[in-house]
Amino acid sequence: MLVYLANVPSFLNLVTRVNPKIIKVIVWVLFITVLPDSAYAMHIAEGFLPATQCAFWSILVIPFLLWGFSSIKKVISCNPQLRTLLAMAGAFTFILSALKIPSLTGSCSHPTGVGLGAILFGPAVMSVLSFLVLIFQALLLAHGGITTLGANTFSMGVIGPLISFLIYKGLTSVKIVKSSFTVFLATVVGNVMTYITTSWQLAIAFHSNNGIMAAFIKFASVLVITQIPIAISEGILSVLVFNLLTTYGFCNPNYPHNKLASKGASL
Amino acid sequence: MKYLGLLFLFLLLLFSPFFWVKNGQFLGSDDQMIAVITEIKPAYHPWFSWWWRPKPEVAGLFFSLQVGIGAMVFGIGMGHHLGFKKGYKSAQRALAPRIQKDI
């Protein structure tokens, strides 16, 4: 992702050389057609956490982001060829977090897609990638929010990938189940854990005299139950993509691309 | 062929809610989340709001743009890898015709 972001200026240069006016026209048309309207978002919406808690989650997320940046640097310096796969993991998250999928509860939610990247590169990398996704959605789509960016990154970019990664590593070392099922389980549990974390964050912020636990159950019954069928869909899709990558040799350690992968790929 | 079954299962899961839930609204679960918040604390109002909010149709545009960009990057990565592999194999074949190592 970062690598491709670095290539944006040259890409724009290419486009502007063709016709500099077209971009301006497109931008203006976009801004004229887009007018404010009320709609809320899937992650914790803008302003829906007290300011002190926004600050708390944001500060909590910073070390994970720094760890993620150093991890990305390590992966790329150990093996420059792996940055393609890194960009693809980011793209997978980017695609999946834009898909609003109907659930059996009669409401919609969207998958996170961080499990696959966490399995391939370790949990730290995904904190940066999901931070980028959340910024894109907060700025352009008013989906999520700038103030709740820290809390959302913590649930989607830290807890979810961490759980996925631990489950994948644990089950792979024990070797009781097939790798496809391991990927499936890691992704599903990671996804559900993301929304359990969101429910906790909301319950801590908003609880009545019945206590935090009662509020958590209330939030979880809305968020997590909707999420379970979607998590299963995401698991199946992740298995599909993981198998695709394995078949074409993306993860083959003997392949010249990935000679150094074992050094940099995990953590 | 191995993937076809999985793909079918994924699509089945994707469309099954429309048959299971007859008169569902299919609103975002975030709206329900906000309903719960206002139920617990009726006096709460968001203390900050972003300066713009795209209309639902335009939000659809941006969401599809997001999917498009993601799919583009994914495709570029896939093509890059396959091209590299192909080039590597043919170079290997040209340089050492007798040692055919399968990678």
Side-chain angles (χ1 to χ4, degrees), chain A residues 41-249:
Chain A
M42 187 41 243
H43 305 285
I44 301 176
E46 187 81 276
F48 270 95
L49 275 184
T52 48
Q53 295 191 18
C54 291
F56 171 74
W57 294 116
S58 305
I59 291 166
L60 197 66
V61 149
I62 289 171
F64 289 101
L65 285 178
L66 292 178
W67 182 26
F69 275 119
S70 75
S71 181
I72 286 180
K73 216 182 252 175
K74 203 168 144 194
V75 169
I76 290 178
S77 65
C78 276
N79 189 352
Q81 291 293 347
L82 265 183
R83 63 190 172 179
T84 329
L85 193 56
L86 192 65
M88 284 166 79
F92 187 70
T93 311
F94 213 57
I95 296 170
L96 281 201
S97 56
L99 298 176
K100 287 187 179 174
I101 295 176
S103 175
L104 290 175
T105 51
S107 53
C108 281
S109 183
H110 65 76
T112 57
V114 290
L116 187 76
I119 286 165
L120 292 172
F121 290 104
V125 169
M126 288 326 281
S127 67
V128 177
L129 294 181
S130 49
F131 182 71
L132 289 177
V133 172
L134 286 168
I135 278 191
F136 180 89
Q137 292 193 330
L139 293 181
L140 282 178
L141 293 152
H143 184 91
I146 299 296
T147 53
T148 53
L149 198 61
N152 287 332
T153 310
F154 186 76
S155 63
M156 181 180 160
V158 176
I159 295 293
L162 208 63
I163 298 288
S164 296
F165 181 73
L166 288 179
I167 288 176
Y168 182 75
K169 278 287 160 193
L171 284 181
T172 321
S173 62
V174 176
K175 284 180 186 163
I176 16 172
V177 284
K178 280 174 76 178
S179 69
S180 306
F181 188 71
T182 315
V183 172
F184 175 75
L185 205 68
T187 329
V188 171
V189 178
N191 189 326
V192 172
M193 276 309 291
T194 298
Y195 285 89
I196 289 179
T197 313
T198 308
S199 304
W200 274 118
Q201 287 168 337
L202 285 168
I204 290 167
F206 302 100
H207 53 87
S208 53
N209 298 327
N210 297 333
I212 296 179
M213 198 62 206
F216 167 72
I217 289 169
K218 229 171 207 174
F219 282 114
S221 67
V222 169
L223 290 174
V224 179
I225 303 296
T226 308
Q227 197 62 31
I228 286 170
I230 291 161
I232 293 171
S233 305
E234 190 201 324
I236 293 171
L237 201 65
S238 297
V239 170
L240 268 170
V241 174
F242 186 80
N243 285 348
L244 194 77
L245 295 181
T246 331
T247 325
Y248 285 110

